[in-house]
Amino acid sequence: MNKDQHVEFLLRLGDNSLVLGHRLSEWCGHAPVLEEDIAMTNVALDLIGQARMLYSHAGEIEGKGRDEDAIAYLRDVLDWRNCLLVEQPNGDFADTMARQFLFDVWNFEVFSALTKSSDEQLAAIAAKALKEISYHRRHSGDWVIRLGDGTEESRAKMIAALDRVWGFTDELFQMDDVDKAALAAGIGVDLEALRPAWESHVGAVLAEAGLEKPSVTWSVKGGRTKGHHSEHLGFLLAELQFMQRAYPNSNW
Amino acid sequence: MNKDQHVEFLLRLGDNSLVLGHRLSEWCGHAPVLEEDIAMTNVALDLIGQARMLYSHAGEIEGKGRDEDAIAYLRDVLDWRNCLLVEQPNGDFADTMARQFLFDVWNFEVFSALTKSSDEQLAAIAAKALKEISYHRRHSGDWVIRLGDGTEESRAKMIAALDRVWGFTDELFQMDDVDKAALAAGIGVDLEALRPAWESHVGAVLAEAGLEKPSVTWSVKGGRTKGHHSEHLGFLLAELQFMQRAYPNSNW
Amino acid sequence: PAKRTAFDEKVAAEGKIEPRDWMPEKYRKTLVRQISQHAHSEYVGMLPEGNWVTRAPSLRRKAILLSKIQDEAGHSLYLYSAAETLGVSRDAMLEALHDGRAKYSSIFNYPTLTWADVAAIGWLVDGAAIVNQVSLQRCSYGPYSRAMVRICKEESFHQRQGYEAMMALAQGTPEQKKMAQEALNRWWWPSLMMFGPSDKDSPNSEQSMAWRIKRDSNDDLRQRFVDMTIPQADYLGLTVPDPELKLNAETGHYDFGEIDWDEFWQVVNGNGICNRERLQNRRDAWDKGAWVREAAMAHADKKAARKLAAAAE
Amino acid sequence: PAKRTAFDEKVAAEGKIEPRDWMPEKYRKTLVRQISQHAHSEYVGMLPEGNWVTRAPSLRRKAILLSKIQDEAGHSLYLYSAAETLGVSRDAMLEALHDGRAKYSSIFNYPTLTWADVAAIGWLVDGAAIVNQVSLQRCSYGPYSRAMVRICKEESFHQRQGYEAMMALAQGTPEQKKMAQEALNRWWWPSLMMFGPSDKDSPNSEQSMAWRIKRDSNDDLRQRFVDMTIPQADYLGLTVPDPELKLNAETGHYDFGEIDWDEFWQVVNGNGICNRERLQNRRDAWDKGAWVREAAMAHADKKAARKLAAAAE
């Protein structure tokens, strides 16, 4: 695995965290209940913290002097490597929780595996993150259950929400050259191999929620491996990056 | 009237046009009927065209080498001088038309007066713009009538929409030092004196729509004269300016 | 039968079939499908470009883009009108779009990720559309043929503007040039796919050609587009993402690589990045606009009733 | 009367009144009004800062800001709980907020227009809040007093972070310094207004002071804030927008100009830029969240019923 691939592998992880953290932070002050303002902000904080560690580590390996902010604020859309799932708009609370849950379950498996990465720094980051992600997974899973097993209305909304995001999950298990190189080097994860664990956990929660696995047949990919995103990411970046773009070379 | 005031006076006009044109352009492809996609895009185009002429003229008078794009793309929020009314979010179609109508009627009076400006370039711009604004005013007025005199639902929405924007209209008639200097120099307009004509036209259309003048008592000001905007403008600018901020010193 | 013969003779003689003329039911149906699909494409096609209106990099480009989108709305309107002459209402056509029965050009299921994509759409997508539409100017159905004449004029204007926008990028900073190349990389093959399946896989084409609804085969039109576009790409200094592309000295045409028809069908069948969003956007605009359309009708009725009442007094 | 005497004596002896203790009805009402207003202020106060979360200029600042807002949500929660000890439910308090009967601190009706406004809120608004809250730590009502102790610790942390963010701007580029100065210009006077009307125009204060709900007068607290803040502004190299401001050598306090109480009342009474939006935001979050809260309750009920049924088997 060459250095570029190593950096790219880390950016994929970091971009997932930052973009999803950003989406959650958009809820700030608008949650359905005060306790969720706290809980969602907490998850957003964890994710942004993970992105910072991953970016700093990537910047060090790259060795070109980019720090966490240069990586977060000075790349345009085609250079982002998050999966399509996390950049999808918040929608309603069911949409947000469906997106979060499907990601959290995957992320938990990924970071579990990464605790054994031969990249020791990455393994340390993963060990720290895993405790947080374990909470995230429980939190979003609880909401899938509450909404699925709540009222008629909440159940209908949760079903619709799962249908809307399900087609973005295949991308999570796709292995390209970078992933294979990372795996071969003992740095990365066999994403394909995570699918059974993901399906089993997701299935168990859906069962508890009284929900079926969505039967949608569409599936899209390309954000994480090629930077082929949906049109939503560009608007997210315009907001995220405004200050650093408008006031370059400033310390904050 | 000094040069700074002259430039400021022109920017106030241009910023109104650009910001409202931007808001209308957000409807692009989302109008309630195809004919309105065409009509609203048309109004947006007129307004953006007016902003370009006003900015270019302001840039020439200023004499510091700023062109229309430098003025539009490289000022942050406190340097914008549009009135609060035009930066308000689109809301639903009734909100958009209420905002547009109250502005169009004012804008028509302003540009009518400006056709006699001693700034000949401005007078020429006003003469061209006036034909366009005359169409805008008819278009938005027709919709106020249609919605007010349409269904129960549309009437309720139009009443709510007028209530939501009415408190932004006092600002349109406020005269500060810049306005007074522009008036004294024969360049500007006596905004206070426009109120009766505005009220009369607005009143006639509301009457035809079967609507009352809103009875809201709040009133806010400060966008046009001090750059004290609402929180909406910053997000609008993040989108508007993204490309010029992210790729400085490029030709497009 | 006599009517049938008259129809066939008129078509054969390059005459135009008009709305009141007798026509075979299948001719009518084929046209309705094709014209409404074309109308939907213009309508849906506003969205990927509309995505950049608020972020256009200069006021001049913003005005050009808005004006282009306005033209597309206009094209959509002519085309719906042309289809309406065949006895189907715009609302019925929109209903078919909204519930997924009717199609629109699959190219619009690709996202516009950078400003260069907007330029590339103008250059390539409008370029491909023109090749197709120039051919359709000779379509046997009068209203469609005339709509094409009108639309082609505007489209070639758009195509020139798109090319010029691409030129500004190709001659710009390294970032701009990179953005232009990446756009070409993403839009090249989908543009070739716009002409539809290869002739050998295009079973409906034969009847359409006989009826002169369609005047040139998919592969012929595609070749025409390639021949026209490669020199433009060369002039821009951009590389077309096809290693097999080269001028064939014998035929005088460019040979090009195999199209990935699997990708084509993937996107047609729902797996493009934007399929769901495009349709949802159109449905949302329609649903959220329902009360506005109802209000306009209610007002028009009231107004008419008042006029009538006044006249009766 | 015996209870009344016991209450008065306890208050006079700096004892804490607890929820189960007897208290005059007006004491209870005053506290409910004050504590719920304080809770609403924390809740609504999330919005002007939340406005910059997605645009924070560095990841570190973004994390600090999010964490601060999370703390505010927490404060709001303690305060609602403190008020609930007086027999009023959180839902009832929110209803009063949503229909405009209950107030929140009027400072949050000003918009955050630049990043420097976020820094200024941390420095000035949290600074003013702390002065007030430190005083309220000695409030006679136990739960409120204890909430203040806990909140004050976090608030002073926020205030230091705000000051530090302001410092980064004041020591930054000319644009940053300008942004900082403009924020101070806009937030200075509203911060002074946070302490409420002058003592002479504050008729309710006397009873609150007697009951030790309030421990210091508005003007005393305001003076304390000014004395604390001016040296900080000097250190930042920023100019407080008050030409009459100067240290009074005799008193050792800063004298300052007349507050524009007309502006104060204008904003309190609905003419701030954000009054409508803040309330609408809170109402929208509440209304759009109704189905989520209902679902959570329905699920909890079903779960409890299932547990009961299982136990009965």
Side-chain angles (χ1 to χ4, degrees):
Chain A
M1 170 177 234
N2 63 38
K3 196 197 277 183
D4 282 356
Q5 288 175 317
H6 194 167
V7 171
E8 163 97 10
F9 182 75
L10 294 168
L11 290 186
R12 291 178 180 187
L13 295 167
D15 288 351
N16 278 344
S17 300
L18 185 59
V19 170
L20 187 56
H22 182 103
R23 283 290 185 222
L24 282 174
S25 79
E26 292 173 351
W27 274 97
C28 198
H30 307 287
V33 62
L34 193 44
E35 284 80 354
E36 275 308 305
D37 272 311
I38 296 175
M40 286 202 281
T41 306
N42 200 41
V43 178
L45 265 169
D46 288 343
L47 289 167
I48 290 165
Q50 291 162 17
R52 292 178 66 189
M53 291 188 289
L54 290 161
Y55 286 162
S56 292
H57 183 43
E60 276 164 27
I61 288 179
E62 186 183 54
K64 291 182 189 164
R66 289 204 293 176
D67 63 7
E68 58 180 44
D69 288 332
I71 292 174
Y73 290 101
L74 301 177
R75 284 179 300 150
D76 201 353
V77 64
L78 293 174
D79 292 327
W80 283 72
R81 288 295 181 272
N82 56 283
C83 57
L84 293 164
L85 177 64
V86 296
E87 75 196 35
Q88 298 310 305
N90 283 337
D92 65 20
F93 189 73
D95 289 315
T96 293
M97 284 300 144
R99 180 186 68 194
Q100 187 72 33
F101 174 63
L102 298 179
F103 179 79
D104 288 343
V105 178
W106 177 79
N107 212 28
F108 181 87
E109 299 300 333
V110 170
F111 278 78
S112 294
L114 288 176
T115 57
K116 299 177 205 94
S117 173
S118 64
D119 174 344
E120 287 176 22
Q121 181 75 32
L122 176 57
I125 294 171
K128 180 180 183 306
L130 194 60
K131 288 178 206 141
E132 300 167 343
I133 296 169
S134 162
Y135 162 72
H136 303 172
R137 186 177 69 159
R138 198 168 61 245
H139 174 255
S140 59
D142 283 351
W143 275 111
V144 170
I145 293 167
R146 279 193 205 105
L147 300 181
D149 183 51
T151 61
E152 281 297 310
E153 183 182 9
S154 71
R155 182 180 157 79
K157 282 191 201 285
M158 185 41 82
I159 290 171
L162 288 165
D163 280 355
R164 272 194 282 268
V165 289
W166 194 260
F168 296 112
T169 56
D170 279 344
E171 186 186 20
L172 302 174
F173 305 103
Q174 195 189 7
M175 294 285 285
D176 74 348
D177 290 347
V178 172
D179 296 308
K180 286 173 192 162
L183 180 62
I187 292 171
V189 183
D190 185 350
L191 296 173
E192 285 170 4
L194 302 182
R195 202 190 258 276
W198 182 84
E199 285 186 346
S200 151
H201 189 101
V202 169
V205 169
L206 291 185
E208 194 175 342
L211 298 169
E212 309 267 320
K213 191 177 130 177
S215 58
V216 294
T217 54
W218 61 274
S219 162
V220 294
K221 303 185 182 71
R224 205 180 69 84
T225 53
K226 292 190 285 187
H228 291 183
H229 293 280
S230 63
E231 288 172 354
H232 305 295
L233 186 59
F235 292 94
L236 184 155
L237 297 179
E239 247 180 80
L240 171 70
Q241 300 181 336
F242 178 75
M243 290 298 291
Q244 289 258 352
R245 301 289 198 180
Y247 301 94
N249 307 314
S250 310
N251 293 314
W252 302 97
Chain B
M1 170 178 234
N2 63 40
K3 196 198 277 185
D4 283 355
Q5 289 175 317
H6 193 169
V7 170
E8 163 98 10
F9 181 74
L10 294 168
L11 289 186
R12 291 178 180 187
L13 295 167
D15 288 351
N16 279 343
S17 300
L18 185 59
V19 170
L20 187 56
H22 182 104
R23 282 291 185 222
L24 281 175
S25 79
E26 292 172 353
W27 273 97
C28 199
H30 308 285
V33 63
L34 192 45
E35 284 80 355
E36 274 309 305
D37 272 310
I38 297 175
M40 286 202 281
T41 306
N42 199 41
V43 178
L45 265 169
D46 288 343
L47 289 167
I48 290 166
Q50 289 162 19
R52 292 177 67 190
M53 291 187 289
L54 291 160
Y55 286 163
S56 293
H57 182 44
E60 276 164 26
I61 288 179
E62 186 183 53
K64 291 182 188 164
R66 289 205 291 177
D67 62 7
E68 59 179 45
D69 288 331
I71 293 174
Y73 289 101
L74 303 176
R75 283 180 300 151
D76 202 354
V77 64
L78 294 173
D79 292 329
W80 284 72
R81 288 296 180 271
N82 56 282
C83 57
L84 293 164
L85 176 64
V86 295
E87 75 196 32
Q88 298 310 305
N90 283 337
D92 64 20
F93 189 73
D95 289 315
T96 293
M97 284 300 145
R99 179 186 69 196
Q100 187 72 33
F101 173 64
L102 298 179
F103 179 78
D104 288 343
V105 178
W106 177 80
N107 212 27
F108 181 86
E109 300 300 332
V110 170
F111 278 78
S112 294
L114 289 174
T115 57
K116 299 178 204 92
S117 173
S118 64
D119 174 344
E120 287 176 21
Q121 181 75 29
L122 176 57
I125 294 171
K128 181 180 182 307
L130 194 60
K131 287 177 204 140
E132 299 166 344
I133 297 168
S134 162
Y135 162 73
H136 303 171
R137 186 177 71 160
R138 197 168 59 245
H139 173 255
S140 58
D142 282 352
W143 274 110
V144 170
I145 293 167
R146 279 192 204 106
L147 299 180
D149 184 50
T151 62
E152 281 296 310
E153 182 182 9
S154 71
R155 182 180 157 79
K157 282 191 202 288
M158 185 41 82
I159 290 170
L162 288 165
D163 280 355
R164 273 195 282 269
V165 290
W166 194 260
F168 296 111
T169 56
D170 278 345
E171 187 187 19
L172 303 173
F173 305 102
Q174 196 189 7
M175 293 285 285
D176 74 348
D177 289 347
V178 171
D179 296 307
K180 286 173 191 161
L183 180 62
I187 292 171
V189 184
D190 184 351
L191 296 172
E192 285 170 5
L194 302 182
R195 202 189 258 276
W198 182 84
E199 286 185 345
S200 151
H201 189 100
V202 168
V205 168
L206 291 184
E208 193 175 340
L211 298 169
E212 309 268 319
K213 190 178 130 178
S215 58
V216 295
T217 54
W218 60 275
S219 162
V220 294
K221 304 184 183 71
R224 204 179 69 85
T225 52
K226 291 189 285 186
H228 291 184
H229 294 279
S230 63
E231 289 172 354
H232 304 295
L233 186 59
F235 291 94
L236 184 155
L237 297 180
E239 249 181 77
L240 172 69
Q241 300 182 338
F242 177 75
M243 289 297 291
Q244 289 258 351
R245 300 290 198 180
Y247 302 93
N249 306 315
S250 311
N251 292 314
W252 302 98
Chain C
K3 284 178 181 170
R4 174 84 206 204
T5 312
F7 172 84
D8 286 342
E9 281 172 7
K10 193 164 187 184
V11 167
E14 295 285 342
K16 296 294 178 205
I17 306 299
E18 295 300 331
R20 293 174 171 214
D21 295 343
W22 182 90
M23 61 189 86
E25 187 53 22
K26 187 143 185 271
Y27 176 88
R28 197 188 67 80
K29 277 202 174 147
T30 303
L31 273 169
V32 166
R33 199 188 61 232
Q34 184 171 332
I35 302 175
S36 70
Q37 186 169 328
H38 195 161
H40 297 327
S41 296
E42 296 277 359
Y43 203 4
V44 173
M46 295 167 70
L47 298 170
E49 295 182 305
N51 188 45
W52 278 90
V53 165
T54 58
R55 292 177 293 170
S58 74
L59 294 182
R60 178 174 160 262
R61 290 289 172 201
K62 189 189 289 281
I64 290 173
L65 179 59
L66 263 174
S67 177
K68 181 186 174 190
I69 297 174
Q70 193 187 20
D71 285 347
E72 283 158 2
H75 298 172
S76 179
L77 211 52
Y78 309 156
L79 288 162
Y80 283 124
S81 300
E84 282 184 319
T85 62
L86 293 158
V88 54
S89 72
R90 199 207 300 180
D91 281 9
M93 290 184 267
L94 288 176
E95 201 185 309
L97 172 67
H98 296 155
D99 67 18
R101 274 178 292 132
K103 292 226 161 78
Y104 54 86
S105 178
S106 194
I107 191 96
F108 300 122
N109 291 320
Y110 290 87
T112 48
L113 296 176
T114 72
W115 171 252
D117 291 3
V118 173
I121 287 182
W123 173 36
L124 299 174
V125 177
D126 286 29
I130 290 167
V131 168
N132 193 34
Q133 288 163 9
V134 164
S135 167
L136 289 170
Q137 289 179 356
R138 298 185 299 125
C139 170
S140 60
Y141 188 59
Y144 192 34
S145 154
R146 289 189 291 273
M148 284 300 107
V149 173
R150 188 162 167 191
I151 287 173
C152 271
K153 276 188 206 144
E154 293 182 355
E155 292 276 24
S156 34
F157 189 58
H158 297 162
Q159 198 266 349
R160 277 202 302 279
Q161 287 173 328
Y163 187 65
E164 193 242 319
M166 206 73 183
M167 181 86 77
L169 299 175
Q171 297 179 346
T173 65
E175 284 98 338
Q176 287 177 303
K177 189 158 183 172
K178 183 162 170 255
M179 196 186 279
Q181 181 63 54
E182 281 169 338
L184 177 56
N185 293 347
R186 280 177 291 117
W187 291 91
W188 174 254
W189 290 107
S191 299
L192 295 195
M193 295 175 194
M194 282 177 71
F195 297 95
S198 279
D199 294 345
K200 60 181 195 308
D201 303 316
S202 190
N204 295 324
S205 289
E206 208 178 329
Q207 176 65 79
S208 284
M209 296 279 268
W211 275 335
R212 303 202 174 173
I213 289 174
K214 203 173 155 82
R215 303 304 308 244
D216 297 280
S217 82
N218 292 354
D219 287 335
D220 285 352
L221 292 169
R222 187 161 19 236
Q223 185 67 54
R224 208 171 289 166
F225 172 69
V226 171
D227 290 346
M228 177 183 99
T229 308
I230 299 303
Q232 295 172 351
D234 290 345
Y235 188 80
L236 291 173
L238 299 177
T239 308
V240 172
D242 179 358
E244 295 176 44
L245 184 89
K246 66 162 191 290
L247 188 63
N248 182 323
E250 262 176 67
T251 63
H253 293 296
Y254 284 89
D255 292 341
F256 53 94
E258 191 62 36
I259 289 176
D260 180 355
W261 290 111
D262 180 53
E263 187 194 324
F264 176 75
W265 290 112
Q266 283 284 330
V267 176
V268 168
N269 290 325
N271 295 329
I273 288 202
C274 299
N275 297 58
R276 286 150 305 282
E277 279 161 52
R278 300 295 185 232
L279 210 49
Q280 198 59 48
N281 259 318
R282 288 264 48 87
R283 283 184 194 137
D284 284 349
W286 185 252
D287 292 345
K288 286 183 191 160
W291 68 271
V292 178
R293 297 189 302 274
E294 284 160 19
M297 279 200 296
H299 168 70
D301 289 349
K302 285 187 197 174
K303 208 171 158 182
R306 280 194 292 263
K307 202 172 262 176
L308 207 65
E313 265 166 25
Chain D
K3 285 178 181 170
R4 175 82 206 207
T5 312
F7 171 84
D8 287 342
E9 282 173 5
K10 193 164 188 185
V11 167
E14 295 286 340
K16 296 293 178 205
I17 305 299
E18 296 300 330
R20 295 177 168 213
D21 294 344
W22 182 91
M23 62 188 85
E25 186 53 22
K26 188 146 184 267
Y27 176 88
R28 199 188 67 81
K29 277 201 176 146
T30 303
L31 273 168
V32 166
R33 198 189 61 231
Q34 184 171 332
I35 302 174
S36 69
Q37 185 169 330
H38 195 162
H40 297 327
S41 296
E42 296 278 359
Y43 204 3
V44 174
M46 296 168 70
L47 297 171
E49 296 182 303
N51 188 44
W52 278 89
V53 165
T54 58
R55 291 177 293 169
S58 74
L59 294 182
R60 177 174 161 262
R61 290 289 173 201
K62 188 189 288 281
I64 291 173
L65 179 59
L66 263 173
S67 176
K68 180 185 176 191
I69 296 174
Q70 192 187 20
D71 286 347
E72 282 159 2
H75 298 173
S76 178
L77 212 52
Y78 311 155
L79 288 162
Y80 283 125
S81 301
E84 282 184 319
T85 63
L86 293 158
V88 56
S89 73
R90 199 209 298 182
D91 282 8
M93 289 184 267
L94 288 176
E95 201 185 308
L97 172 67
H98 296 156
D99 68 17
R101 275 178 292 132
K103 292 225 162 79
Y104 54 86
S105 178
S106 194
I107 191 96
F108 300 121
N109 292 320
Y110 290 88
T112 49
L113 296 176
T114 72
W115 170 252
D117 291 2
V118 174
I121 287 182
W123 172 37
L124 300 173
V125 177
D126 287 30
I130 291 167
V131 168
N132 193 34
Q133 288 162 9
V134 164
S135 168
L136 288 170
Q137 289 179 354
R138 297 185 299 125
C139 169
S140 60
Y141 187 59
Y144 191 34
S145 154
R146 289 189 291 273
M148 284 300 106
V149 173
R150 187 160 169 193
I151 288 173
C152 271
K153 276 188 205 146
E154 292 182 356
E155 292 277 25
S156 33
F157 189 59
H158 297 163
Q159 198 266 349
R160 277 203 301 280
Q161 287 173 328
Y163 187 65
E164 193 243 319
M166 207 70 184
M167 181 86 77
L169 299 176
Q171 296 179 345
T173 65
E175 283 98 337
Q176 287 176 303
K177 189 158 184 173
K178 183 163 170 257
M179 197 186 279
Q181 181 63 54
E182 281 169 339
L184 176 56
N185 293 348
R186 279 177 292 118
W187 291 91
W188 173 253
W189 289 106
S191 300
L192 295 194
M193 295 176 196
M194 281 177 71
F195 297 95
S198 280
D199 295 345
K200 60 182 193 307
D201 302 317
S202 190
N204 296 324
S205 290
E206 208 178 328
Q207 176 66 78
S208 285
M209 296 278 269
W211 274 333
R212 302 199 176 175
I213 290 174
K214 203 172 155 78
R215 304 303 309 244
D216 297 281
S217 82
N218 293 354
D219 287 335
D220 285 351
L221 292 169
R222 184 159 26 234
Q223 185 66 54
R224 209 171 289 168
F225 172 69
V226 171
D227 290 345
M228 177 183 99
T229 308
I230 298 302
Q232 296 172 350
D234 289 346
Y235 188 80
L236 292 173
L238 298 177
T239 308
V240 172
D242 178 358
E244 294 177 44
L245 185 88
K246 66 163 192 290
L247 188 63
N248 183 324
E250 259 176 70
T251 61
H253 294 296
Y254 285 89
D255 290 342
F256 52 95
E258 192 62 35
I259 290 175
D260 180 355
W261 291 111
D262 180 52
E263 187 195 324
F264 176 77
W265 289 113
Q266 282 284 329
V267 176
V268 167
N269 291 324
N271 296 329
I273 287 203
C274 300
N275 297 58
R276 287 150 306 282
E277 280 163 51
R278 299 297 184 231
L279 210 49
Q280 198 59 47
N281 260 317
R282 288 264 49 86
R283 283 185 194 137
D284 285 349
W286 185 252
D287 293 344
K288 286 183 190 159
W291 69 271
V292 177
R293 298 190 301 275
E294 283 159 20
M297 278 200 296
H299 168 70
D301 289 348
K302 284 187 195 174
K303 208 171 156 183
R306 281 194 293 261
K307 203 173 260 176
L308 207 66
E313 267 168 23

